[in-house]
Amino acid sequence: MTTPPLPAPVFARLARLSPAPDGLTTLRSALHARRLLLLKALLVRVHRNRASDEPGALGRFERSWELLERVERRRPAVVRDVLDYPTTGAWLAGALAEPAGPAFDGLLGHLDHLAVTAALRAGGALDVTVETPDGLLSLPGVGRLSVAAERVRVTAGEPAVRFHPDGARQAAPAVLTRSGRHRGVLVGRGPGWRAVRPLHGGAACLDDVDPYRVPSGAGGTVVVAADPAETDHAAWTGTWRAAHHLLARTHPGRAAEVSHGVRAVVPVLRRGPRHVGATLSAAPGAVLTSLPADGLGMAETLVHELHHSKLATLHELVPLYGPGPGALYRVGWRSDPRPLAGVLHGAYAHLALAELWRRTASADGVPPLWRRAAGQQFDDIHDQVGAALRILLESDELTVEGREFVRQMRLHHASLGTAPLAAG
């Protein structure tokens, strides 16, 4: 096996689903490096095509870039946090894929919103005018302001942030207040303001307002963002708390990993009677989900989708499979045949679920109904994951690193046994 660009023990622990913090730290560093690379690619494209870019859009992009650089010199951690927010990745992917024209110029304008968000969180004085052609000023990870204007002047002192639609010095529709010593926390109030809601016990928030939270064609299927006006925040918060308590009781390490690895929970519509859960390879750390029925359903969704995000980020760092011949394979958890990449992703996510179900079925203090359901699900999926691992190891589409990764997955699969432990 060739040496991967990360320590071999970390690589093995990731393959065996360990929630050790060094794995998440490694993946976060890889994610940030990827974001900087994509942002630089966007800058290069803008400069190479200056003649075809709309002059106003080009000027705004360059001013926003300069503002980001100024903020980074003072508060690099704040800029990193804004750039690493999941929807920033979705925006970058969309902008880089968009051909030159008015739609591309419109996408460039989002850098205004990123730069203003970073500047406001970093603190200090600010006086900028931001274009809002759709009547929305989005502050990623913070909230969204609706205004009846194509421009908004943003002025900030300490601690207040005020908005002046169309640059006028008039009563603002909303005011933000800065708080927090080490990380800029912005708390808003007033008409037109809709906040991103923090979720208990970690870095996650309930984001039902970001314009890039559900790009078209998300996840390769039709995933539709829920209407923010219909979001039952109390129900989402309660289900999240129940999931957090279940994970903390059954697997504290996994609970900590979910708390730090999931940045945004994005409400989406159910597909008929079916629950929907999805991730975007461009936006690791975002879990797109309809509201699960209970805490166990939320815990399953979070663990399942987090492992899709982990594997997508790892594959960017260490390619685990190549293009291959395009063969399709049958797996137990899907009715349709899957390419090898889908088999690997599904096996990794379902192996994490098998571990969760095994622990839930044997844990004290878990509702009996949840224990019984988890035991049945473990029985159903354990053999299916084993069959998928055999498919993977027999394939010639895995890289050398990918084959070692799957071997480590198989070791973890074997360590789970063939049945849940009896409840204590």
Side-chain angles (χ1 to χ4, degrees):
M1 175 182 175
T2 58
T3 302
L6 75 165
V10 176
F11 183 79
R13 283 194 289 272
L14 285 168
R16 299 183 70 164
L17 308 182
S18 167
D22 57 357
L24 194 58
T25 299
T26 297
L27 295 181
R28 280 183 166 175
S29 296
L31 169 65
H32 185 63
R34 176 72 173 168
R35 287 287 161 83
L36 294 180
L37 182 64
L38 294 178
L39 196 60
K40 182 64 177 295
L42 184 60
L43 178 65
V44 169
R45 178 182 171 183
V46 167
H47 284 173
R48 283 180 177 172
N49 297 280
R50 296 178 70 92
S52 61
D53 294 333
E54 194 273 321
L58 177 62
R60 291 191 298 273
F61 181 86
E62 291 180 336
R63 286 193 296 273
S64 297
W65 189 281
E66 292 170 0
L67 176 58
L68 268 179
E69 287 183 330
R70 291 199 303 272
V71 176
E72 186 176 36
R73 285 193 288 270
R74 291 192 298 117
R75 298 286 302 279
V78 169
V79 173
R80 176 171 182 153
D81 199 58
V82 172
L83 293 182
D84 290 355
Y85 191 67
T87 58
T88 303
W91 163 70
L92 277 168
L96 288 168
E98 185 68 33
F104 176 70
D105 294 338
L107 284 166
L108 289 183
H110 189 62
L111 189 67
D112 277 354
H113 299 195
L114 293 173
V116 167
T117 302
L120 294 179
R121 286 186 48 192
L126 184 68
D127 189 341
V128 296
T129 297
V130 182
E131 300 289 323
T132 54
D134 55 0
L136 296 174
L137 172 60
S138 174
L139 303 180
V142 179
R144 184 185 73 187
L145 179 68
S146 299
V147 293
E150 293 191 352
R151 289 173 299 278
V152 174
R153 183 182 177 195
V154 183
T155 59
E158 294 294 349
V161 178
R162 300 186 182 278
F163 301 95
H164 312 276
D166 206 25
R169 293 181 178 277
Q170 60 190 50
V175 175
L176 303 185
T177 302
R178 291 163 161 163
S179 63
R181 291 182 56 191
H182 302 295
R183 178 182 175 188
V185 177
L186 302 173
V187 180
R189 66 182 188 277
W193 175 253
R194 186 178 289 273
V196 166
R197 308 279 183 113
L199 291 169
H200 165 77
C205 61
L206 184 67
D207 193 340
D208 58 352
V209 299
D210 193 287
Y212 296 98
R213 66 193 186 278
V214 185
S216 59
T221 58
V222 178
V223 180
V224 180
D227 185 342
E230 297 179 2
T231 302
D232 185 341
H233 293 102
W236 281 92
T237 299
T239 306
W240 167 273
R241 283 181 177 271
H244 182 80
H245 292 323
L246 172 67
L247 291 173
R249 181 173 292 277
T250 59
H251 195 173
R254 188 72 71 214
E257 182 183 51
V258 167
S259 293
H260 292 93
V262 176
R263 292 287 307 276
V265 175
V266 177
V268 301
L269 298 180
R270 298 179 72 88
R271 193 176 298 124
R274 293 174 52 200
H275 171 66
V276 173
T279 52
L280 305 173
S281 59
V287 173
L288 285 61
T289 178
S290 55
L291 181 62
D294 53 27
L296 176 59
M298 176 65 87
E300 292 169 352
T301 300
L302 294 171
V303 169
H304 184 268
E305 301 303 338
L306 176 61
H307 281 80
H308 278 307
S309 283
K310 287 167 62 178
L311 191 63
T313 304
L314 179 64
H315 179 63
E316 291 282 352
L317 181 63
V318 184
L320 302 174
Y321 48 85
L328 298 177
Y329 306 89
R330 293 282 180 182
V331 291
W333 53 84
R334 293 283 295 247
S335 60
D336 54 330
R338 306 294 291 154
L340 190 90
V343 176
L344 178 57
H345 267 273
Y348 192 59
H350 281 87
L351 183 57
L353 284 181
E355 181 184 59
L356 170 65
W357 291 328
R358 181 179 185 270
R359 287 172 175 268
T360 301
S362 61
D364 292 324
V366 174
L369 182 63
W370 287 9
R371 284 209 308 270
R372 288 193 297 272
Q376 181 61 51
Q377 288 172 309
F378 178 88
D379 290 341
D380 291 344
I381 205 65
H382 187 267
D383 289 345
Q384 295 176 4
V385 171
L389 293 174
R390 288 192 292 273
I391 289 172
L392 291 165
L393 289 173
E394 291 169 3
S395 169
D396 59 1
E397 296 179 52
L398 292 175
T399 62
V400 174
E401 291 81 7
R403 190 167 297 278
E404 176 62 18
F405 191 81
V406 174
R407 279 197 288 264
Q408 294 291 337
M409 286 175 61
R410 187 171 61 177
L411 290 173
H412 187 65
H413 177 261
S415 76
L416 296 180
T418 57
L421 300 173

Short mmCIF file of all heavy atoms in Angstrom, two decimals, residues 181-239:
data_model
loop_
_atom_site.label_atom_id
_atom_site.label_comp_id
_atom_site.label_asym_id
_atom_site.label_seq_id
_atom_site.Cartn_x
_atom_site.Cartn_y
_atom_site.Cartn_z
N ARG A 181 -17.35 36.60 23.09
CA ARG A 181 -15.99 37.13 23.21
C ARG A 181 -15.07 36.57 22.14
O ARG A 181 -14.26 37.29 21.56
CB ARG A 181 -15.42 36.80 24.58
CG ARG A 181 -16.09 37.53 25.73
CD ARG A 181 -15.41 37.16 27.04
NE ARG A 181 -13.98 37.44 27.00
CZ ARG A 181 -13.12 37.02 27.92
NH1 ARG A 181 -13.55 36.29 28.93
NH2 ARG A 181 -11.85 37.31 27.81
N HIS A 182 -15.15 35.25 21.88
CA HIS A 182 -14.17 34.61 21.02
C HIS A 182 -14.70 34.30 19.63
O HIS A 182 -13.93 34.03 18.73
CB HIS A 182 -13.68 33.32 21.68
CG HIS A 182 -13.09 33.55 23.03
ND1 HIS A 182 -11.93 34.28 23.21
CD2 HIS A 182 -13.50 33.17 24.26
CE1 HIS A 182 -11.65 34.33 24.51
NE2 HIS A 182 -12.59 33.67 25.16
N ARG A 183 -16.00 34.31 19.43
CA ARG A 183 -16.58 34.02 18.14
C ARG A 183 -17.75 34.95 17.95
O ARG A 183 -18.61 35.06 18.82
CB ARG A 183 -17.03 32.56 18.06
CG ARG A 183 -17.70 32.21 16.73
CD ARG A 183 -18.15 30.77 16.74
NE ARG A 183 -18.88 30.47 15.53
CZ ARG A 183 -19.53 29.32 15.32
NH1 ARG A 183 -19.54 28.41 16.25
NH2 ARG A 183 -20.16 29.11 14.19
N GLY A 184 -17.78 35.64 16.82
CA GLY A 184 -18.85 36.60 16.59
C GLY A 184 -20.21 35.92 16.57
O GLY A 184 -20.47 35.06 15.75
N VAL A 185 -21.07 36.30 17.48
CA VAL A 185 -22.44 35.81 17.51
C VAL A 185 -23.35 36.98 17.21
O VAL A 185 -23.27 38.03 17.86
CB VAL A 185 -22.78 35.20 18.89
CG1 VAL A 185 -24.25 34.76 18.92
CG2 VAL A 185 -21.86 34.03 19.19
N LEU A 186 -24.22 36.83 16.21
CA LEU A 186 -25.09 37.91 15.79
C LEU A 186 -26.53 37.52 16.10
O LEU A 186 -27.02 36.50 15.62
CB LEU A 186 -24.93 38.18 14.29
CG LEU A 186 -23.52 38.55 13.84
CD1 LEU A 186 -23.45 38.62 12.32
CD2 LEU A 186 -23.11 39.88 14.44
N VAL A 187 -27.21 38.33 16.90
CA VAL A 187 -28.58 38.08 17.29
C VAL A 187 -29.45 39.16 16.68
O VAL A 187 -29.20 40.36 16.90
CB VAL A 187 -28.73 38.07 18.82
CG1 VAL A 187 -30.18 37.80 19.21
CG2 VAL A 187 -27.80 37.03 19.44
N GLY A 188 -30.45 38.77 15.88
CA GLY A 188 -31.25 39.75 15.16
C GLY A 188 -32.66 39.89 15.68
O GLY A 188 -33.19 39.03 16.38
N ARG A 189 -33.28 40.98 15.28
CA ARG A 189 -34.68 41.22 15.59
C ARG A 189 -35.23 42.21 14.57
O ARG A 189 -34.48 42.94 13.92
CB ARG A 189 -34.86 41.77 17.00
CG ARG A 189 -34.29 43.15 17.21
CD ARG A 189 -34.46 43.62 18.65
NE ARG A 189 -34.07 45.02 18.81
CZ ARG A 189 -32.81 45.42 18.98
NH1 ARG A 189 -31.83 44.53 19.00
NH2 ARG A 189 -32.54 46.71 19.11
N GLY A 190 -36.52 42.23 14.43
CA GLY A 190 -37.15 43.21 13.56
C GLY A 190 -37.77 42.56 12.34
O GLY A 190 -37.50 41.41 12.00
N PRO A 191 -38.66 43.29 11.65
CA PRO A 191 -39.34 42.75 10.47
C PRO A 191 -38.35 42.43 9.35
O PRO A 191 -37.38 43.14 9.13
CB PRO A 191 -40.29 43.88 10.07
CG PRO A 191 -39.69 45.12 10.66
CD PRO A 191 -39.05 44.68 11.93
N GLY A 192 -38.64 41.35 8.65
CA GLY A 192 -37.79 40.96 7.54
C GLY A 192 -36.63 40.07 7.93
O GLY A 192 -35.96 39.51 7.06
N TRP A 193 -36.37 39.92 9.23
CA TRP A 193 -35.22 39.11 9.66
C TRP A 193 -35.69 37.71 10.04
O TRP A 193 -36.64 37.53 10.79
CB TRP A 193 -34.54 39.75 10.87
CG TRP A 193 -33.43 38.89 11.42
CD1 TRP A 193 -33.44 38.18 12.58
CD2 TRP A 193 -32.17 38.64 10.81
NE1 TRP A 193 -32.26 37.50 12.74
CE2 TRP A 193 -31.45 37.76 11.66
CE3 TRP A 193 -31.57 39.06 9.62
CZ2 TRP A 193 -30.19 37.30 11.36
CZ3 TRP A 193 -30.29 38.60 9.32
CH2 TRP A 193 -29.61 37.74 10.19
N ARG A 194 -35.00 36.69 9.52
CA ARG A 194 -35.24 35.29 9.89
C ARG A 194 -33.91 34.66 10.23
O ARG A 194 -33.01 34.60 9.39
CB ARG A 194 -35.93 34.53 8.76
CG ARG A 194 -36.33 33.12 9.16
CD ARG A 194 -37.05 32.41 8.02
NE ARG A 194 -38.35 32.96 7.79
CZ ARG A 194 -39.46 32.58 8.41
NH1 ARG A 194 -39.40 31.62 9.33
NH2 ARG A 194 -40.62 33.12 8.13
N ALA A 195 -33.77 34.21 11.46
CA ALA A 195 -32.49 33.71 11.95
C ALA A 195 -32.31 32.24 11.66
O ALA A 195 -33.28 31.47 11.57
CB ALA A 195 -32.37 33.95 13.46
N VAL A 196 -31.06 31.84 11.51
CA VAL A 196 -30.68 30.44 11.57
C VAL A 196 -30.67 30.04 13.04
O VAL A 196 -30.06 30.74 13.86
CB VAL A 196 -29.29 30.24 10.93
CG1 VAL A 196 -28.72 28.88 11.26
CG2 VAL A 196 -29.36 30.44 9.42
N ARG A 197 -31.35 28.95 13.38
CA ARG A 197 -31.51 28.58 14.78
C ARG A 197 -30.41 27.63 15.24
O ARG A 197 -30.21 26.57 14.62
CB ARG A 197 -32.87 27.89 14.99
CG ARG A 197 -34.07 28.66 14.45
CD ARG A 197 -34.52 29.73 15.39
NE ARG A 197 -35.71 30.41 14.91
CZ ARG A 197 -36.90 30.35 15.50
NH1 ARG A 197 -37.07 29.62 16.59
NH2 ARG A 197 -37.93 31.02 15.01
N PRO A 198 -29.69 27.94 16.31
CA PRO A 198 -28.70 27.00 16.84
C PRO A 198 -29.39 25.78 17.43
O PRO A 198 -30.50 25.87 17.97
CB PRO A 198 -27.97 27.81 17.92
CG PRO A 198 -28.93 28.87 18.33
CD PRO A 198 -29.75 29.18 17.11
N LEU A 199 -28.74 24.63 17.32
CA LEU A 199 -29.25 23.39 17.90
C LEU A 199 -28.40 23.00 19.11
O LEU A 199 -27.19 23.25 19.13
CB LEU A 199 -29.24 22.27 16.86
CG LEU A 199 -30.26 22.44 15.73
CD1 LEU A 199 -30.00 21.43 14.61
CD2 LEU A 199 -31.69 22.29 16.25
N HIS A 200 -29.02 22.38 20.06
CA HIS A 200 -28.41 22.08 21.36
C HIS A 200 -27.16 21.21 21.23
O HIS A 200 -27.13 20.25 20.46
CB HIS A 200 -29.44 21.37 22.24
CG HIS A 200 -28.87 20.71 23.45
ND1 HIS A 200 -28.51 21.40 24.58
CD2 HIS A 200 -28.59 19.41 23.71
CE1 HIS A 200 -28.05 20.56 25.48
NE2 HIS A 200 -28.08 19.34 24.98
N GLY A 201 -26.11 21.57 21.96
CA GLY A 201 -25.02 20.65 22.21
C GLY A 201 -23.95 20.56 21.17
O GLY A 201 -23.27 19.54 21.08
N GLY A 202 -23.74 21.58 20.35
CA GLY A 202 -22.67 21.48 19.36
C GLY A 202 -22.64 22.65 18.40
O GLY A 202 -23.16 23.72 18.69
N ALA A 203 -22.05 22.40 17.23
CA ALA A 203 -21.88 23.46 16.24
C ALA A 203 -23.05 23.56 15.28
O ALA A 203 -23.08 24.46 14.45
CB ALA A 203 -20.59 23.20 15.44
N ALA A 204 -24.01 22.65 15.35
CA ALA A 204 -25.06 22.57 14.35
C ALA A 204 -26.11 23.66 14.52
O ALA A 204 -26.37 24.14 15.62
CB ALA A 204 -25.74 21.20 14.39
N CYS A 205 -26.71 24.01 13.39
CA CYS A 205 -27.84 24.92 13.41
C CYS A 205 -28.92 24.37 12.48
O CYS A 205 -28.66 23.51 11.63
CB CYS A 205 -27.43 26.33 12.96
SG CYS A 205 -26.78 26.39 11.27
N LEU A 206 -30.13 24.84 12.67
CA LEU A 206 -31.24 24.49 11.79
C LEU A 206 -31.34 25.60 10.75
O LEU A 206 -31.76 26.71 11.04
CB LEU A 206 -32.54 24.38 12.60
CG LEU A 206 -33.77 23.94 11.82
CD1 LEU A 206 -33.62 22.49 11.35
CD2 LEU A 206 -35.03 24.08 12.68
N ASP A 207 -30.89 25.29 9.53
CA ASP A 207 -30.80 26.31 8.48
C ASP A 207 -31.90 26.08 7.45
O ASP A 207 -31.81 25.21 6.60
CB ASP A 207 -29.43 26.24 7.81
CG ASP A 207 -29.17 27.47 6.94
OD1 ASP A 207 -30.14 28.16 6.57
OD2 ASP A 207 -27.98 27.76 6.66
N ASP A 208 -32.95 26.89 7.54
CA ASP A 208 -34.04 26.81 6.57
C ASP A 208 -34.15 28.09 5.75
O ASP A 208 -35.19 28.36 5.15
CB ASP A 208 -35.37 26.53 7.28
CG ASP A 208 -35.73 27.57 8.34
OD1 ASP A 208 -34.88 28.44 8.64
OD2 ASP A 208 -36.85 27.51 8.89
N VAL A 209 -33.05 28.87 5.68
CA VAL A 209 -33.11 30.16 4.99
C VAL A 209 -32.03 30.38 3.95
O VAL A 209 -32.19 31.23 3.06
CB VAL A 209 -33.07 31.32 6.01
CG1 VAL A 209 -34.25 31.26 6.96
CG2 VAL A 209 -31.76 31.35 6.78
N ASP A 210 -30.91 29.67 4.00
CA ASP A 210 -29.81 29.95 3.08
C ASP A 210 -30.22 29.63 1.65
O ASP A 210 -30.80 28.58 1.37
CB ASP A 210 -28.58 29.11 3.46
CG ASP A 210 -27.33 29.59 2.76
OD1 ASP A 210 -27.20 29.37 1.54
OD2 ASP A 210 -26.48 30.20 3.44
N PRO A 211 -29.94 30.54 0.69
CA PRO A 211 -30.37 30.29 -0.69
C PRO A 211 -29.68 29.11 -1.35
O PRO A 211 -30.17 28.60 -2.36
CB PRO A 211 -30.01 31.61 -1.40
CG PRO A 211 -28.94 32.23 -0.56
CD PRO A 211 -29.26 31.84 0.84
N TYR A 212 -28.55 28.65 -0.81
CA TYR A 212 -27.82 27.53 -1.41
C TYR A 212 -27.94 26.26 -0.57
O TYR A 212 -27.18 25.32 -0.78
CB TYR A 212 -26.35 27.91 -1.60
CG TYR A 212 -26.20 29.05 -2.57
CD1 TYR A 212 -26.05 30.36 -2.12
CD2 TYR A 212 -26.26 28.84 -3.94
CE1 TYR A 212 -25.94 31.42 -3.00
CE2 TYR A 212 -26.16 29.89 -4.84
CZ TYR A 212 -26.01 31.18 -4.36
OH TYR A 212 -25.91 32.23 -5.25
N ARG A 213 -28.92 26.21 0.32
CA ARG A 213 -29.04 25.03 1.20
C ARG A 213 -29.48 23.79 0.43
O ARG A 213 -29.11 22.67 0.78
CB ARG A 213 -29.99 25.32 2.36
CG ARG A 213 -31.45 25.53 1.96
CD ARG A 213 -32.24 26.12 3.13
NE ARG A 213 -33.68 26.22 2.87
CZ ARG A 213 -34.24 27.20 2.19
NH1 ARG A 213 -33.48 28.19 1.69
NH2 ARG A 213 -35.55 27.24 2.01
N VAL A 214 -30.26 23.96 -0.62
CA VAL A 214 -30.71 22.84 -1.45
C VAL A 214 -30.58 23.24 -2.92
O VAL A 214 -31.54 23.70 -3.51
CB VAL A 214 -32.15 22.41 -1.14
CG1 VAL A 214 -32.52 21.16 -1.96
CG2 VAL A 214 -32.35 22.13 0.33
N PRO A 215 -29.40 23.11 -3.50
CA PRO A 215 -29.26 23.42 -4.93
C PRO A 215 -30.10 22.46 -5.77
O PRO A 215 -30.45 21.36 -5.33
CB PRO A 215 -27.76 23.20 -5.20
CG PRO A 215 -27.11 23.23 -3.86
CD PRO A 215 -28.14 22.71 -2.90
N SER A 216 -30.43 22.87 -6.99
CA SER A 216 -31.24 22.01 -7.86
C SER A 216 -30.49 20.73 -8.15
O SER A 216 -29.28 20.73 -8.35
CB SER A 216 -31.55 22.75 -9.17
OG SER A 216 -30.36 23.10 -9.84
N GLY A 217 -31.23 19.62 -8.16
CA GLY A 217 -30.62 18.33 -8.43
C GLY A 217 -29.81 17.79 -7.27
O GLY A 217 -28.96 16.93 -7.45
N ALA A 218 -30.06 18.28 -6.05
CA ALA A 218 -29.26 17.86 -4.90
C ALA A 218 -29.34 16.37 -4.69
O ALA A 218 -30.40 15.77 -4.74
CB ALA A 218 -29.76 18.59 -3.64
N GLY A 219 -28.17 15.77 -4.45
CA GLY A 219 -28.11 14.36 -4.12
C GLY A 219 -28.45 13.44 -5.26
O GLY A 219 -28.61 12.24 -5.07
N GLY A 220 -28.58 13.98 -6.50
CA GLY A 220 -28.90 13.15 -7.64
C GLY A 220 -30.38 12.81 -7.73
O GLY A 220 -30.81 12.11 -8.64
N THR A 221 -31.18 13.27 -6.78
CA THR A 221 -32.62 13.05 -6.80
C THR A 221 -33.30 14.38 -6.54
O THR A 221 -32.67 15.39 -6.27
CB THR A 221 -33.03 12.03 -5.73
OG1 THR A 221 -32.61 12.52 -4.44
CG2 THR A 221 -32.38 10.68 -5.98
N VAL A 222 -34.60 14.37 -6.64
CA VAL A 222 -35.35 15.60 -6.41
C VAL A 222 -35.51 15.79 -4.90
O VAL A 222 -36.26 15.07 -4.24
CB VAL A 222 -36.72 15.55 -7.09
CG1 VAL A 222 -37.50 16.82 -6.80
CG2 VAL A 222 -36.56 15.36 -8.60
N VAL A 223 -34.78 16.74 -4.36
CA VAL A 223 -34.89 17.11 -2.95
C VAL A 223 -35.37 18.55 -2.91
O VAL A 223 -34.76 19.43 -3.51
CB VAL A 223 -33.53 16.97 -2.23
CG1 VAL A 223 -33.66 17.35 -0.76
CG2 VAL A 223 -33.00 15.56 -2.36
N VAL A 224 -36.45 18.78 -2.22
CA VAL A 224 -37.10 20.09 -2.23
C VAL A 224 -37.01 20.71 -0.84
O VAL A 224 -37.39 20.08 0.16
CB VAL A 224 -38.58 19.98 -2.66
CG1 VAL A 224 -39.24 21.35 -2.67
CG2 VAL A 224 -38.69 19.31 -4.04
N ALA A 225 -36.50 21.92 -0.78
CA ALA A 225 -36.39 22.62 0.51
C ALA A 225 -37.77 22.88 1.09
O ALA A 225 -38.71 23.22 0.37
CB ALA A 225 -35.63 23.93 0.32
N ALA A 226 -37.89 22.71 2.39
CA ALA A 226 -39.14 23.02 3.07
C ALA A 226 -39.34 24.54 3.13
O ALA A 226 -38.38 25.31 3.17
CB ALA A 226 -39.13 22.44 4.48
N ASP A 227 -40.58 24.96 3.13
CA ASP A 227 -40.91 26.38 3.25
C ASP A 227 -40.58 26.85 4.67
O ASP A 227 -41.09 26.27 5.64
CB ASP A 227 -42.39 26.58 2.96
CG ASP A 227 -42.81 28.04 2.94
OD1 ASP A 227 -42.06 28.89 3.48
OD2 ASP A 227 -43.88 28.34 2.40
N PRO A 228 -39.72 27.87 4.81
CA PRO A 228 -39.38 28.32 6.17
C PRO A 228 -40.59 28.70 7.00
O PRO A 228 -40.58 28.52 8.22
CB PRO A 228 -38.48 29.55 5.91
CG PRO A 228 -37.93 29.33 4.54
CD PRO A 228 -38.98 28.62 3.77
N ALA A 229 -41.64 29.21 6.35
CA ALA A 229 -42.84 29.61 7.08
C ALA A 229 -43.54 28.41 7.71
O ALA A 229 -44.33 28.56 8.64
CB ALA A 229 -43.80 30.35 6.16
N GLU A 230 -43.25 27.20 7.21
CA GLU A 230 -43.91 26.01 7.73
C GLU A 230 -42.99 25.17 8.62
O GLU A 230 -43.36 24.07 9.03
CB GLU A 230 -44.43 25.16 6.55
CG GLU A 230 -45.48 25.89 5.72
CD GLU A 230 -45.96 25.07 4.54
OE1 GLU A 230 -45.51 23.91 4.40
OE2 GLU A 230 -46.79 25.57 3.77
N THR A 231 -41.80 25.67 8.91
CA THR A 231 -40.88 24.94 9.77
C THR A 231 -41.35 25.01 11.22
O THR A 231 -41.50 26.10 11.78
CB THR A 231 -39.45 25.52 9.66
OG1 THR A 231 -39.02 25.46 8.31
CG2 THR A 231 -38.49 24.72 10.53
N ASP A 232 -41.59 23.85 11.81
CA ASP A 232 -41.97 23.77 13.21
C ASP A 232 -40.68 23.69 14.03
O ASP A 232 -40.16 22.61 14.28
CB ASP A 232 -42.85 22.55 13.45
CG ASP A 232 -43.39 22.46 14.88
OD1 ASP A 232 -42.82 23.12 15.77
OD2 ASP A 232 -44.36 21.72 15.10
N HIS A 233 -40.15 24.85 14.42
CA HIS A 233 -38.86 24.87 15.08
C HIS A 233 -38.86 24.09 16.39
O HIS A 233 -37.87 23.44 16.73
CB HIS A 233 -38.43 26.32 15.32
CG HIS A 233 -38.12 27.07 14.06
ND1 HIS A 233 -39.01 27.97 13.51
CD2 HIS A 233 -37.04 27.04 13.24
CE1 HIS A 233 -38.49 28.47 12.40
NE2 HIS A 233 -37.30 27.93 12.21
N ALA A 234 -39.96 24.13 17.11
CA ALA A 234 -40.03 23.39 18.37
C ALA A 234 -39.92 21.89 18.13
O ALA A 234 -39.24 21.17 18.87
CB ALA A 234 -41.33 23.73 19.11
N ALA A 235 -40.58 21.39 17.08
CA ALA A 235 -40.53 19.96 16.78
C ALA A 235 -39.13 19.55 16.35
O ALA A 235 -38.61 18.50 16.77
CB ALA A 235 -41.54 19.62 15.68
N TRP A 236 -38.48 20.37 15.52
CA TRP A 236 -37.12 20.05 15.09
C TRP A 236 -36.16 20.06 16.28
O TRP A 236 -35.32 19.17 16.42
CB TRP A 236 -36.65 21.05 14.03
CG TRP A 236 -37.18 20.76 12.67
CD1 TRP A 236 -38.32 21.25 12.09
CD2 TRP A 236 -36.60 19.88 11.69
NE1 TRP A 236 -38.47 20.75 10.83
CE2 TRP A 236 -37.44 19.91 10.54
CE3 TRP A 236 -35.46 19.09 11.66
CZ2 TRP A 236 -37.16 19.17 9.40
CZ3 TRP A 236 -35.18 18.35 10.52
CH2 TRP A 236 -36.02 18.39 9.41
N THR A 237 -36.29 21.07 17.12
CA THR A 237 -35.39 21.17 18.28
C THR A 237 -35.59 19.99 19.23
O THR A 237 -34.62 19.41 19.73
CB THR A 237 -35.63 22.50 19.01
OG1 THR A 237 -35.35 23.59 18.13
CG2 THR A 237 -34.74 22.61 20.23
N GLY A 238 -36.85 19.62 19.46
CA GLY A 238 -37.12 18.51 20.35
C GLY A 238 -36.60 17.18 19.80
O GLY A 238 -36.04 16.36 20.55
N THR A 239 -36.75 16.97 18.50
CA THR A 239 -36.27 15.72 17.89
C THR A 239 -34.75 15.67 17.90
O THR A 239 -34.14 14.62 18.13
CB THR A 239 -36.82 15.59 16.46
OG1 THR A 239 -38.24 15.71 16.48
CG2 THR A 239 -36.46 14.24 15.86
#
